[in-house]
Amino acid sequence: MPKYYDFMICGYYLYFTSHCIIEAMHVHASDRKLTEYGSAKFFVMRNGHTEVSNRGTLTDKQIRIIREFIKDNYKDMYRKWSEFSRQGFYEGRQEK
């Protein structure tokens, strides 16, 4: 499970899993167990803005801080993502 960074933001690691690289770039936020149970999921757009797909157990304050962190670091995070995936940034919800 690749982590974007080895340190935690608001008590959560920011990571992605090898089975989810078929989706657009996103960030999971989870405690040290790195499980999807209770984790949040943020899809990342090409301008660094995020769309919260799942808030998990995070508070509004934790979500705000993590979103700000992603906005400040998304280009660096994208470099890590692109080592594993050919999928690009999130372009918004696709209507069926």
Side-chain angles (χ1 to χ4, degrees), residues 29-94:
S30 182
D31 61 14
R32 66 183 111 109
K33 296 176 188 171
L34 296 180
T35 61
E36 289 193 42
Y37 175 76
S39 72
K41 185 174 183 180
F42 303 81
F43 279 100
V44 183
M45 299 178 190
R46 73 178 62 257
N47 63 1
H49 291 144
T50 56
E51 183 172 307
V52 179
S53 171
N54 182 11
R55 69 178 292 124
T57 59
L58 277 71
T59 65
D60 289 341
K61 181 179 180 181
Q62 289 169 320
I63 288 173
R64 181 182 51 77
I65 291 169
I66 291 171
R67 289 178 103 170
E68 289 172 3
F69 181 86
I70 292 171
K71 175 74 173 165
D72 291 343
N73 296 282
Y74 78 98
K75 290 179 182 176
D76 183 46
M77 296 171 83
Y78 183 74
R79 282 191 281 281
K80 179 75 168 182
W81 170 266
S82 63
E83 291 175 18
F84 294 86
S85 177
R86 293 178 188 232
Q87 301 302 318
F89 290 106
Y90 182 67
E91 300 294 336
R93 293 190 190 273
Q94 301 298 316

